[in-house]
Amino acid sequence: MTDKSKTGDRRADITGDRNIVGDGNVVIVGGGSGSALPPLDLDSPLAAAARARYLAALRERYGVIETHAFTALAEDERVGQPLRLPLLGEQGVYVPLAFDAAGAREDILHRRDKNSLEAQERAGKPLSLAEVLHLPGHLALIGDAGSGKTTVLHVLVSLLAAEQPVALGAELAAALPQETPLPVLLPLRFFEHACNVTAADDYARCAADLLRFVDTWFNQWCPEVNLPPGFLAAHICAGRAWFLLDALDEVADPSNREAIRNVIEGLARSLNGTRLIVTARIAAYRATSLNQDFSVVTVRDLEAEQRTRLAHAIYRGLALPDAQARADDLAQRMESNAALQALARTPVMIWTAAVIHALRGELPEGRAALYDAYVEILLKKSFERTRYDTAALDALTDGLGWTESNRRHYLTYLAFKVHELLEGQTERQGEVVVVGEDELVDDILKPYFHENLSLSRVAARERAQEFVALMVERSGLLYETGNGYRLGDHLTMQEFLAGFYLAENYADEDPEGYTAFFREKARRTWWREVVLLAAGYLGQKPGFKGQKFLRQVVKAGVQEGAELAALALAGRGLVQLRVGHKRPDWYPGLAQNFANRLYALLYAGGVEAPIAQRQEAGLVLGLLHGLPGQEDGVPDPRFVGPEGLPAFVKIPAGAFWMGSDESDQGDERPRHRVTLSAYEVAKYPTTNAMYARFIAAGGYANPDFWEEALAAGDWKEGQINTYGEGWQNTPHHWQDSRWNNPAQPVVGVNWYEATAYCRWLTATLQDGYEYRLPTEAEWERAARGPQGWAYPWGDDWREGVCNSKEAGLEVTSPVGLFPAGASAEGIEDLAGNVWEWCADWYGPYQEGEPGEKKYRVLRGGSWYNDGPPICRCGFRDGGIPGGWLDNGGFRCVRTSPLLKP
């Protein structure tokens, strides 16, 4: 960031031109009817006083978490009076998250960037938020729904607004700039709404109008602060702010999202000194990723210790004498149940589980089942009379006709319509809430009650007002802010309520609209979670409604020429039903059907589709195939060999040219001729499904497989040293959902683990072959093919045929997803996806082994690397044998005395 001591006169000029010119202290912004504003002296007493008011407002609004669900249950004697929980500090409810950052790695598989074991130990480790803040440039923070992205922004606002940041967290405070920037947080959906409204001061999707809107939005949200015109934009343009842009994914229209992405990238180029931090859900970000000016970090799944800490923090907010014991019980239930562990990956699911556990003392299985139980509690228990209620409560609830079933019906309809409203971006200009009272009452509920309850329009409006007031007062699912209303504490609650309506009532109430929804909306990113939660809800019910729902998703996709996307969505909805022992009877048949069709499109037919779409389809197919021994897993036709091995491709004996005299990499020289005996190489890298068999068979416990690791002191008592992460008996990232799909190549394995797997295969199969890592020469011959090409597919680089940095996936892909990148002999994924360990020590080309035995050879490049220079067949690298990372794996070769030339 810019040293502001060198910026001279820190004044920001805000004018009416629709342009932006930033040199760290001057900006010209405007648009629409905006008129020229006088320059702002940001160091004047007036500006200092405004900053003080602004920061005080931020501390008040972002420093605490008020749990609306607990508030609704305040009078239940079993729960106790909820407290306003501080976000940070000793009693803070924020549990530090961990992050993966591809751009932050000291690449374990790039020998030139490291000179010590200590550097290797740091590479690939999860990052703390403080470490993320030290990353270069701007930040893109991505994660699944409910993973804590927005909370991280609130944490940053709280720290930057604090009078004593050290009191909130010493490590985080130390990561802040020496001159504290002004935090400016803007949910992007509000700017998108403003851009879709025609008014006197209309907004366009440009940098100038985004900056102009920041002040408009805040002054409408907190008018009492009374900031000078253009105050926040002036700080941003003068390099004296952190600009926090929340939820790029909530810009529903893909083309509009791309336009706002371009605006953000333009700001990143133009602003000197101000840091941009953008959040988005993973699925939306893949299709609208930011450029190289942004370091991309992904929120990691919660681990056991984080889940336990969060459970205790939540229970501290309830005035219960046995809060500690209840928190211990909640944590124990999550850790003893694999299905619940899979669900409890995100903070929002821990919060949901805690509410259910507080009242029921148990937890259901399945994400939709958790939300369903949560809603049932709030719509039922929060309306039960307690010793503090009077008889008037009866008249307030059922006496007015608001039965529990009606409450759920009308609230879910309301959520569905609000979700439609948000997608259409039809909210009034300047509103900073999800929805206003006029939308709730006049646009949604009044016409619904008028038509379906046969009420006059006046009576229907009164009825709608009564319902909204009742839900706000009692439900904990609809609550009022200073300017309007919001459904639930998180977007996923709105999505579940909308999904419930889609699942239960939409088809009966509007058959044509229901059919059109699957044809036009179901595959859009904005509706993805709604569809998945609807499928999850129906799947836990008896009968076949869940199956019919998923088939409808696919049928509509086929009709619209989007079969792959529809199958991926329906398949994702199906696999979530494979939890515990409650999967529906129709699951196996439908899983086989979906798997067959996905396989035909991806691997047999080679359908043309965007890379991100093929990636999602491949991941879903991997989940349908499942891990070995997983009940209802569908066999993968590519891995039908013993121990789930793929086909092996025979490489005949003979000579080939290795290395290159033309490369700018000195370690590729000299080009020389190598003669090899015949061998066979696995068609694909080793997958998680393949490696799982090694783990299940006790491969880590057998010292016969770990000779080199034993000698190096890196294996003991069935565990491998992971350098900085302790001793483990599984690969690093084995429990991380970003990397552990059955079809993805196994990553987080060091050279010792790859070698041990091969030795286990030899000992287990006893089929006359020796299974091992390829020599470096064997690997390069397999990649070059008989023609000696520079890349597996030819002598010229081609985009879109391998998973390198250019593909934009920023994660491993299911093996075989890029068939056009296969070698001449049909071997896949030799370029990109993961670096592959080889048997040799790394060193200059020479006779015999190198003098310094420090690194083992790595070949092929990965999803993280630039393709043209690094994914060449001749590119060489090395890593220490005990090192691991999320872009390193391996494949096997096999040889036999019986193997003929």
Side-chain angles (χ1 to χ4, degrees), residues 27 161 174 212 227 234 415 453 530 629-630 645 707 764 781 867 891:
V27 67
R212 183 166 62 95
L227 292 179
L453 299 181
V530 173
Q630 189 168 357
L645 290 175
E707 177 183 344
T764 301
R781 162 59 184 85
R891 80 174 71 215

Side-chain angles (χ1 to χ4, degrees), residues 567-782:
L567 278 167
L569 178 63
R572 181 73 72 172
L574 180 63
V575 295
Q576 70 182 327
L577 306 181
R578 193 168 58 195
V579 295
H581 303 287
K582 298 182 179 180
R583 66 182 60 80
D585 293 340
W586 44 264
Y587 178 94
L590 193 60
Q592 185 70 66
N593 178 278
F594 286 176
N596 290 347
R597 296 170 70 176
L598 280 169
Y599 183 89
L601 291 171
L602 276 178
Y603 302 128
V607 65
E608 291 188 10
I611 291 175
Q613 191 178 112
R614 288 192 284 121
Q615 169 81 353
E616 172 64 7
L619 293 174
V620 169
L621 182 56
L623 293 174
L624 289 169
H625 289 151
L627 293 171
Q630 189 168 357
E631 188 175 355
D632 293 332
V634 178
D636 187 334
R638 300 174 299 165
F639 298 92
V640 295
E643 299 299 342
L645 290 175
F648 277 70
V649 177
K650 183 178 179 180
I651 307 296
F656 81 104
W657 285 101
M658 185 174 183
S660 172
D661 291 328
E662 300 175 358
S663 172
D664 59 358
Q665 303 294 324
D667 62 352
E668 295 181 34
R669 296 191 290 266
R671 185 171 181 255
H672 56 289
R673 197 141 177 94
V674 177
T675 301
L676 297 174
S677 300
Y679 63 101
E680 296 181 358
V681 59
K683 184 173 182 178
Y684 305 105
T686 303
T687 65
N688 287 308
M690 294 161 64
Y691 198 85
R693 296 175 183 268
F694 169 67
I695 297 173
Y700 278 82
N702 190 334
D704 293 342
F705 305 147
W706 302 90
E707 177 183 344
E708 293 86 354
L710 266 168
D714 285 337
W715 180 93
K716 65 179 182 181
E717 299 176 356
Q719 293 185 313
I720 191 77
N721 186 5
T722 62
Y723 291 110
E725 295 295 311
W727 295 76
Q728 297 179 2
N729 59 1
T730 56
H732 205 74
H733 303 300
W734 189 250
Q735 300 298 332
D736 191 327
S737 61
R738 285 193 74 209
W739 313 103
N740 67 4
N741 186 284
Q744 288 174 301
V746 63
V747 295
V749 286
N750 59 32
W751 185 89
Y752 301 129
E753 289 170 296
T755 301
Y757 171 84
C758 295
R759 288 175 178 157
W760 168 77
L761 279 180
T762 302
T764 301
L765 297 180
Q766 298 185 23
D767 57 1
Y769 288 101
E770 178 191 4
Y771 292 82
R772 56 175 174 80
L773 294 177
T775 65
E776 185 176 20
E778 287 171 338
W779 191 96
E780 186 167 333
R781 162 59 184 85

Side-chain angles (χ1 to χ4, degrees), residues 760-896:
W760 168 77
L761 279 180
T762 302
T764 301
L765 297 180
Q766 298 185 23
D767 57 1
Y769 288 101
E770 178 191 4
Y771 292 82
R772 56 175 174 80
L773 294 177
T775 65
E776 185 176 20
E778 287 171 338
W779 191 96
E780 186 167 333
R781 162 59 184 85
R784 288 188 181 276
Q787 296 88 350
W789 285 332
Y791 300 96
W793 54 83
D795 282 326
D796 297 318
W797 170 255
R798 291 169 53 195
E799 286 201 16
V801 299
C802 73
N803 183 13
S804 61
K805 191 173 188 176
E806 291 75 11
L809 295 178
E810 298 185 344
V811 72
T812 53
S813 53
V815 299
L817 196 67
F818 294 85
S823 73
E825 290 153 313
I827 309 166
E828 304 207 30
D829 287 16
L830 285 163
N833 212 2
V834 290
W835 288 94
E836 298 182 13
W837 288 110
C838 294
D840 311 52
W841 290 103
Y842 174 85
Y845 286 139
Q846 62 185 32
E847 291 292 332
E849 293 185 342
E852 182 186 38
K853 296 181 179 180
K854 188 175 181 180
Y855 304 108
R856 294 285 184 174
V857 170
L858 287 148
R859 287 301 201 105
S862 75
W863 58 267
Y864 169 68
N865 300 109
D866 295 320
I870 295 180
C871 293
R872 290 182 297 106
C873 300
F875 189 91
R876 308 178 67 213
D877 216 330
I880 62 172
W884 51 264
L885 201 62
D886 54 22
N887 63 346
F890 69 99
R891 80 174 71 215
C892 300
V893 299
R894 65 186 185 186
T895 57
S896 169

Side-chain angles (χ1 to χ4, degrees), residues 43 49 128 210 257 273 303 335 337 401 438 665 820 894:
D43 291 322
S128 67
L210 176 60
R257 190 187 314 135
E303 296 185 351
E335 298 316 306
N337 187 310
D438 55 344
Q665 303 294 324
R894 65 186 185 186

